[in-house]
Amino acid sequence: MSSRIEQIIEEIEEYVESCKYQPLSTTKIVVNKEELEELLRELRLKTPDEIKRYQKIISNKDAILADAQAKADGLIAEARAQTQEMVSQHEVMQQAYAQANETISKANKQAQEILDSAQEDANNIRLSAISYTDDMLANLQTIMSNTLGDAGERYKAFMSSLQDAYEVVSQNRSELAPQVAQAPGAEDDMDLEDGYEDSEDDYEEE
């Protein structure tokens, strides 16, 4: 069963796939800012809970090792008890010691195998949790990077349009300047304009 974070990431991917491309572009898309922000907000809220869940799984490593150690100790204790019983009851002491040593050797081997297996399982759980969390954060980082890139492009386009409009206004004023100088009352207008420019200079000096 997939986690809520995986579901949200899938929803974001599906949403991005469903967005329309910008005119004359095959890579840039138009997104609904509120809808995308809502998905990202939920992702941010769910991320700490998911990380805590995997941290809890990692913390179970100690419990796994403790259980394995208890089983190993139990096997060794049982082997020693059997050894003591065989030594006390067996008619040939040498054979009893041989069987006892073999039993203890097998018990130690089984105990070590249990410990090794538990250690490997605990490490695999830890690595899987870390890998999953890193993949999840990498997907989130990619989405945020794309969002920031699109916002930068829109800002550059806006500034370029504003610059073009400014140049058109400046050119129109330049074309009107000779006609304004010849019109009746032009001197008064020029005085007003000079006063406006002087006030602008004063403002800049301040």
Side-chain angles (χ1 to χ4, degrees):
M1 182 178 181
S2 60
S3 67
R4 179 53 186 158
I5 285 185
E6 291 174 315
Q7 295 175 1
I8 295 173
I9 292 176
E10 290 177 359
E11 289 176 13
I12 292 175
E13 291 174 346
E14 291 174 0
Y15 173 73
V16 172
E17 289 294 331
S18 66
C19 291
K20 296 181 179 180
Y21 286 102
Q22 290 185 357
L24 305 179
S25 174
T26 59
T27 58
K28 298 178 181 178
I29 60 174
V30 178
V31 299
N32 184 310
K33 180 181 178 182
E34 293 182 356
E35 187 172 353
L36 184 58
E37 286 181 343
E38 180 62 27
L39 290 171
L40 293 175
R41 188 179 302 110
E42 185 176 1
L43 185 61
R44 283 194 297 269
L45 292 174
K46 293 294 182 182
T47 297
D49 293 335
E50 284 295 312
I51 291 177
K52 287 180 181 178
R53 186 164 72 89
Y54 284 102
Q55 287 176 339
K56 184 177 180 180
I57 292 175
I58 294 173
S59 66
N60 287 338
K61 172 184 176 182
D62 293 336
I64 294 173
L65 294 176
D67 181 67
Q69 184 66 56
K71 291 180 179 179
D73 292 340
L75 286 172
I76 294 173
E78 183 180 357
R80 288 176 176 173
Q82 291 177 357
T83 300
Q84 186 65 33
E85 183 179 359
M86 284 188 296
V87 169
S88 61
Q89 295 180 356
H90 208 284
E91 295 179 355
V92 181
M93 296 299 296
Q94 189 65 32
Q95 184 178 359
Y97 281 120
Q99 290 180 353
N101 289 334
E102 183 180 358
T103 301
I104 292 175
S105 177
K106 289 181 179 180
N108 286 331
K109 182 179 179 181
Q110 291 178 358
Q112 187 60 47
E113 289 176 352
I114 292 174
L115 288 174
D116 292 343
S117 178
Q119 180 70 47
E120 183 178 359
D121 289 344
N123 289 335
N124 289 337
I125 290 173
R126 177 178 177 275
L127 292 176
S128 296
I130 293 175
S131 177
Y132 172 82
T133 303
D134 182 65
D135 290 342
M136 175 191 67
L137 295 177
N139 289 334
L140 177 59
Q141 185 179 22
T142 299
I143 293 172
M144 295 176 68
S145 177
N146 292 337
T147 301
L148 290 173
D150 291 340
E153 291 295 331
R154 288 196 296 271
Y155 176 75
K156 291 179 181 178
F158 169 74
M159 293 301 296
S160 177
S161 299
L162 186 61
Q163 182 64 33
D164 292 342
Y166 177 80
E167 292 176 356
V168 170
V169 172
S170 298
Q171 183 178 357
N172 289 339
R173 289 197 66 200
S174 298
E175 293 175 354
L176 290 175
Q179 300 179 27
V180 173
Q182 296 175 4
E187 293 181 357
D188 295 338
D189 292 341
M190 291 300 291
D191 292 340
L192 291 174
E193 184 176 353
D194 292 340
Y196 174 72
E197 292 178 351
D198 292 340
S199 66
E200 282 187 334
D201 293 339
D202 294 339
Y203 177 75
E204 292 178 356
E205 290 178 358
E206 292 177 359

